[in-house]
Amino acid sequence: MRIVLVGPPGAGKGTQAALLAKTLSIPHVSTGDLFRANISQGTELGKLAKSIMDEGKLVPDEVTIAMVRDRLHQQDAENGFLLDGFPRNTAQAVALDGILKDFGIALDGVLDLEVPEDEVVRRIAGRRLCRNDSAHIFHVLYNPPKTEGVCDVCGGELYQRSDDSEETVRTRLEVYHTETEPIIEYYAKQGLVTTIPALGKVDEVTERAIAALRENAND
Ligand code: AP5
Ligand code: MG
């Protein structure tokens, strides 16, 4: 399956993507995680992305699209992928169509996670991530680790993202409304979008997501 996951910052895309990727046996491709890996490795791309991400703005399309093109050329993406955080504007959506066309493939669906703004703010405020693997996501209240500051999965150190400050979150939400929401309409015109409420327990949302993807596949 080739799926795009869309939703505001803090909606639970990374949390759901990790679970869905496992269930569907496809790689989870998160542009945010790819940028964060580049930042921690100190690459040129990481140096470019860091200050832009800390402001809550979008990394330029050329570099983002090139990074995704490279990632989708890797062998593990041959039979499907779950894109999280890409595309993030119409230009990226058009570019993705081009990349997939070159492969002779198309998207199977776009899953839109709907969460009210006050809840995304609460989710982001309490989020903690594992330094070893950003797929290991916790929340101080909603999904607390067994030992404070320590990842349950691998024992790694938990940290708070530098772009999770109140001011940056405000910008990220604005960017989401102006730049990213239009892609929902773009994909809706292609009959690809299923919107699911992403409130409730993590596993309830996963069940809703899997049911929506199955229904979409049977259409
Ligand atoms: P990115 O890393 O993609 O961030 P985002 O889109 O803002 O989304 P988040 O990762 O903040 O939230 P999420 O939806 O993954 O939620 P999570 O599962 O963690 O992008 C960061 C930056 O990189 C961008 O601002 C931009 O600068 C750059 N960038 C990335 N992609 C780009 C692109 N394509 N083009 C240009 N620039 C790009 O969950 C949040 C919290 O909620 C966690 O604590 C979790 O435990 C908790 N939670 C999850 N589900 C539930 C639930 N059901 N109930 C209660 N709590 C829950
Ligand atoms: Mg994420």
Side-chain angles (χ1 to χ4, degrees):
M1 264 189 156
R2 298 177 184 96
I3 304 157
V4 165
L5 206 53
V6 69
K13 300 183 295 298
T15 302
Q16 291 303 325
L19 298 165
L20 291 171
K22 212 169 182 185
T23 307
L24 301 169
S25 302
I26 49 176
H28 167 202
V29 177
S30 156
T31 41
D33 288 352
L34 290 171
F35 287 133
R36 279 183 287 278
N38 274 278
I39 292 170
S40 62
Q41 288 155 16
T43 67
E44 285 306 312
L45 176 58
K47 283 177 200 152
L48 169 80
K50 167 83 177 139
S51 56
I52 300 171
M53 289 169 76
D54 282 345
E55 279 184 57
K57 299 195 174 139
L58 295 186
V59 178
D61 286 342
E62 323 84 88
V63 286
T64 305
I65 291 164
M67 179 177 79
V68 171
R69 188 184 291 114
D70 282 355
R71 181 63 188 86
L72 296 185
H73 270 96
Q74 286 173 27
Q75 211 179 356
D76 66 338
E78 248 173 31
N79 296 317
F81 49 77
L82 184 55
L83 277 169
D84 157 11
F86 183 93
R88 235 179 169 90
N89 59 25
T90 310
Q92 293 182 8
V94 172
L96 178 62
D97 280 350
I99 295 170
L100 299 183
K101 204 168 163 208
D102 289 345
F103 283 128
I105 55 178
L107 286 177
D108 294 300
V110 174
L111 198 60
D112 168 29
L113 301 184
E114 197 173 55
V115 185
E117 202 140 304
D118 55 348
E119 175 68 6
V120 302
V121 170
R122 280 194 290 273
R123 287 186 183 184
I124 289 176
R127 170 168 48 197
R128 298 293 182 271
L129 282 187
C130 176
R131 288 236 184 256
N132 295 340
D133 188 339
S134 38
H136 304 161
I137 306 170
F138 297 86
H139 189 284
V140 291
L141 298 176
Y142 302 147
N143 178 26
K146 290 194 184 80
T147 308
E148 199 187 320
V150 180
C151 176
D152 288 354
V153 186
C154 70
E157 183 201 352
L158 299 184
Y159 75 103
Q160 194 164 15
R161 270 170 47 180
S162 55
D163 61 342
D164 279 353
S165 69
E166 211 182 306
E167 199 191 335
T168 304
V169 168
R170 223 175 295 127
T171 308
R172 285 163 58 199
L173 282 166
E174 269 170 38
V175 169
Y176 179 73
H177 293 311
T178 54
E179 303 262 333
T180 309
E181 272 181 348
I183 70 164
I184 299 175
E185 185 55 34
Y186 175 88
Y187 285 128
K189 284 189 186 138
Q190 301 177 34
L192 287 171
V193 179
T194 310
T195 300
I196 60 161
L199 280 176
K201 293 205 176 88
V202 168
D203 49 355
E204 289 168 357
V205 179
T206 311
E207 276 171 31
R208 261 176 241 149
I210 288 174
L213 291 171
R214 291 223 172 97
E215 202 170 304
N216 202 37
N218 293 333
D219 278 350

